[in-house]
PDB file of all heavy atoms in Angstrom:
ATOM      1  N   GLU S  23       8.397   7.556   8.362  1.00  0.00           N
ATOM      2  CA  GLU S  23       9.570   7.239   7.477  1.00  0.00           C
ATOM      3  C   GLU S  23      10.722   8.143   7.841  1.00  0.00           C
ATOM      4  O   GLU S  23      11.868   7.689   7.931  1.00  0.00           O
ATOM      5  CB  GLU S  23       9.184   7.367   5.967  1.00  0.00           C
ATOM      6  CG  GLU S  23      10.342   7.187   5.082  1.00  0.00           C
ATOM      7  CD  GLU S  23      10.999   5.792   5.090  1.00  0.00           C
ATOM      8  OE1 GLU S  23      10.426   4.832   5.654  1.00  0.00           O
ATOM      9  OE2 GLU S  23      12.094   5.701   4.596  1.00  0.00           O
ATOM     10  N   SER S  26      12.548   6.974  10.806  1.00  0.00           N
ATOM     11  CA  SER S  26      13.387   5.770  10.546  1.00  0.00           C
ATOM     12  C   SER S  26      14.767   6.142  10.001  1.00  0.00           C
ATOM     13  O   SER S  26      15.613   5.289  10.030  1.00  0.00           O
ATOM     14  CB  SER S  26      12.657   4.803   9.577  1.00  0.00           C
ATOM     15  OG  SER S  26      12.703   5.267   8.258  1.00  0.00           O
ATOM     16  N   TYR S  32      25.680  12.126   8.717  1.00  0.00           N
ATOM     17  CA  TYR S  32      25.700  13.165   7.661  1.00  0.00           C
ATOM     18  C   TYR S  32      26.746  12.848   6.679  1.00  0.00           C
ATOM     19  O   TYR S  32      27.925  12.556   6.974  1.00  0.00           O
ATOM     20  CB  TYR S  32      26.035  14.529   8.319  1.00  0.00           C
ATOM     21  CG  TYR S  32      26.013  15.662   7.237  1.00  0.00           C
ATOM     22  CD1 TYR S  32      24.871  16.344   6.948  1.00  0.00           C
ATOM     23  CD2 TYR S  32      27.180  15.948   6.581  1.00  0.00           C
ATOM     24  CE1 TYR S  32      24.823  17.290   5.954  1.00  0.00           C
ATOM     25  CE2 TYR S  32      27.147  16.969   5.582  1.00  0.00           C
ATOM     26  CZ  TYR S  32      26.015  17.568   5.302  1.00  0.00           C
ATOM     27  OH  TYR S  32      26.015  18.586   4.355  1.00  0.00           O
ATOM     28  N   ARG S  33      26.363  12.830   5.446  1.00  0.00           N
ATOM     29  CA  ARG S  33      27.292  12.596   4.312  1.00  0.00           C
ATOM     30  C   ARG S  33      26.823  13.484   3.195  1.00  0.00           C
ATOM     31  O   ARG S  33      25.719  13.371   2.655  1.00  0.00           O
ATOM     32  CB  ARG S  33      27.275  11.130   3.764  1.00  0.00           C
ATOM     33  CG  ARG S  33      27.745  10.119   4.807  1.00  0.00           C
ATOM     34  CD  ARG S  33      29.282  10.127   4.963  1.00  0.00           C
ATOM     35  NE  ARG S  33      29.672   9.025   5.831  1.00  0.00           N
ATOM     36  CZ  ARG S  33      29.807   9.182   7.158  1.00  0.00           C
ATOM     37  NH1 ARG S  33      29.678  10.375   7.709  1.00  0.00           N
ATOM     38  NH2 ARG S  33      30.228   8.242   7.939  1.00  0.00           N
ATOM     39  N   ASP S  44      22.693  14.107   3.418  1.00  0.00           N
ATOM     40  CA  ASP S  44      22.658  15.487   3.832  1.00  0.00           C
ATOM     41  C   ASP S  44      21.186  15.845   3.926  1.00  0.00           C
ATOM     42  O   ASP S  44      20.313  15.046   3.767  1.00  0.00           O
ATOM     43  CB  ASP S  44      23.522  16.346   2.920  1.00  0.00           C
ATOM     44  CG  ASP S  44      23.052  16.319   1.433  1.00  0.00           C
ATOM     45  OD1 ASP S  44      21.990  15.822   1.148  1.00  0.00           O
ATOM     46  OD2 ASP S  44      23.841  16.845   0.575  1.00  0.00           O
ATOM     47  N   CYS S  45      20.945  17.172   4.177  1.00  0.00           N
ATOM     48  CA  CYS S  45      19.538  17.556   4.337  1.00  0.00           C
ATOM     49  C   CYS S  45      18.699  17.310   3.057  1.00  0.00           C
ATOM     50  O   CYS S  45      17.583  16.796   3.133  1.00  0.00           O
ATOM     51  CB  CYS S  45      19.420  19.009   4.806  1.00  0.00           C
ATOM     52  SG  CYS S  45      19.957  20.246   3.681  1.00  0.00           S
ATOM     53  N   LEU S  48      18.018  13.537   2.648  1.00  0.00           N
ATOM     54  CA  LEU S  48      16.899  13.112   3.460  1.00  0.00           C
ATOM     55  C   LEU S  48      15.556  13.335   2.695  1.00  0.00           C
ATOM     56  O   LEU S  48      14.729  12.421   2.566  1.00  0.00           O
ATOM     57  CB  LEU S  48      16.867  13.801   4.843  1.00  0.00           C
ATOM     58  CG  LEU S  48      15.683  13.486   5.749  1.00  0.00           C
ATOM     59  CD1 LEU S  48      15.509  12.049   6.041  1.00  0.00           C
ATOM     60  CD2 LEU S  48      15.736  14.353   6.983  1.00  0.00           C
ATOM     61  N   ASN S  75      26.670  30.577  -5.755  1.00  0.00           N
ATOM     62  CA  ASN S  75      25.926  31.043  -6.873  1.00  0.00           C
ATOM     63  C   ASN S  75      24.812  32.086  -6.545  1.00  0.00           C
ATOM     64  O   ASN S  75      24.317  32.808  -7.400  1.00  0.00           O
ATOM     65  CB  ASN S  75      25.242  29.863  -7.661  1.00  0.00           C
ATOM     66  CG  ASN S  75      24.067  29.247  -6.893  1.00  0.00           C
ATOM     67  OD1 ASN S  75      23.460  29.841  -5.986  1.00  0.00           O
ATOM     68  ND2 ASN S  75      23.718  28.059  -7.334  1.00  0.00           N
ATOM     69  N   ARG S  86       9.150  23.661  -8.212  1.00  0.00           N
ATOM     70  CA  ARG S  86       8.957  22.757  -9.342  1.00  0.00           C
ATOM     71  C   ARG S  86       8.212  21.525  -8.959  1.00  0.00           C
ATOM     72  O   ARG S  86       7.469  20.923  -9.787  1.00  0.00           O
ATOM     73  CB  ARG S  86      10.306  22.392  -9.997  1.00  0.00           C
ATOM     74  CG  ARG S  86      10.856  23.416 -10.830  1.00  0.00           C
ATOM     75  CD  ARG S  86      12.015  22.908 -11.733  1.00  0.00           C
ATOM     76  NE  ARG S  86      13.126  22.301 -11.006  1.00  0.00           N
ATOM     77  CZ  ARG S  86      14.125  22.958 -10.456  1.00  0.00           C
ATOM     78  NH1 ARG S  86      14.217  24.243 -10.523  1.00  0.00           N
ATOM     79  NH2 ARG S  86      15.081  22.264  -9.797  1.00  0.00           N
ATOM     80  N   HIS S  87       8.427  20.958  -7.747  1.00  0.00           N
ATOM     81  CA  HIS S  87       7.969  19.641  -7.447  1.00  0.00           C
ATOM     82  C   HIS S  87       7.027  19.502  -6.194  1.00  0.00           C
ATOM     83  O   HIS S  87       6.460  18.485  -5.953  1.00  0.00           O
ATOM     84  CB  HIS S  87       9.132  18.753  -7.150  1.00  0.00           C
ATOM     85  CG  HIS S  87      10.118  18.659  -8.322  1.00  0.00           C
ATOM     86  ND1 HIS S  87       9.778  18.144  -9.560  1.00  0.00           N
ATOM     87  CD2 HIS S  87      11.389  19.169  -8.452  1.00  0.00           C
ATOM     88  CE1 HIS S  87      10.781  18.263 -10.421  1.00  0.00           C
ATOM     89  NE2 HIS S  87      11.734  18.930  -9.769  1.00  0.00           N
ATOM     90  N   ALA S  96       2.399  26.021   7.825  1.00  0.00           N
ATOM     91  CA  ALA S  96       3.166  24.796   7.829  1.00  0.00           C
ATOM     92  C   ALA S  96       2.853  23.955   8.991  1.00  0.00           C
ATOM     93  O   ALA S  96       2.750  24.415  10.127  1.00  0.00           O
ATOM     94  CB  ALA S  96       4.651  25.000   7.740  1.00  0.00           C
ATOM     95  N   ALA S 127      19.012  16.652   8.583  1.00  0.00           N
ATOM     96  CA  ALA S 127      20.434  16.195   8.599  1.00  0.00           C
ATOM     97  C   ALA S 127      21.272  17.405   8.579  1.00  0.00           C
ATOM     98  O   ALA S 127      21.126  18.320   7.686  1.00  0.00           O
ATOM     99  CB  ALA S 127      20.723  15.348   7.358  1.00  0.00           C
ATOM    100  N   GLU S 135      15.780  14.509  15.286  1.00  0.00           N
ATOM    101  CA  GLU S 135      14.539  15.235  15.522  1.00  0.00           C
ATOM    102  C   GLU S 135      14.847  16.235  16.578  1.00  0.00           C
ATOM    103  O   GLU S 135      15.171  15.834  17.709  1.00  0.00           O
ATOM    104  CB  GLU S 135      13.397  14.282  15.840  1.00  0.00           C
ATOM    105  CG  GLU S 135      12.088  14.949  15.974  1.00  0.00           C
ATOM    106  CD  GLU S 135      10.913  13.974  16.110  1.00  0.00           C
ATOM    107  OE1 GLU S 135      11.144  12.736  16.260  1.00  0.00           O
ATOM    108  OE2 GLU S 135       9.766  14.451  16.121  1.00  0.00           O
ATOM    109  N   PHE S 152       4.205  18.118   0.371  1.00  0.00           N
ATOM    110  CA  PHE S 152       4.289  17.142  -0.666  1.00  0.00           C
ATOM    111  C   PHE S 152       2.910  16.922  -1.318  1.00  0.00           C
ATOM    112  O   PHE S 152       1.899  16.916  -0.618  1.00  0.00           O
ATOM    113  CB  PHE S 152       4.700  15.751  -0.050  1.00  0.00           C
ATOM    114  CG  PHE S 152       6.155  15.638   0.384  1.00  0.00           C
ATOM    115  CD1 PHE S 152       6.586  15.976   1.610  1.00  0.00           C
ATOM    116  CD2 PHE S 152       7.084  15.213  -0.655  1.00  0.00           C
ATOM    117  CE1 PHE S 152       7.981  15.922   1.876  1.00  0.00           C
ATOM    118  CE2 PHE S 152       8.395  15.092  -0.340  1.00  0.00           C
ATOM    119  CZ  PHE S 152       8.843  15.472   0.963  1.00  0.00           C
TER     120      PHE S 152
END
Side-chain angles (χ1 to χ4, degrees):
E23 175 62 15
S26 76
Y32 182 89
R33 297 284 184 266
D44 58 12
C45 65
L48 173 61
N75 73 18
R86 282 194 303 276
H87 304 293
E135 185 169 7
F152 283 93

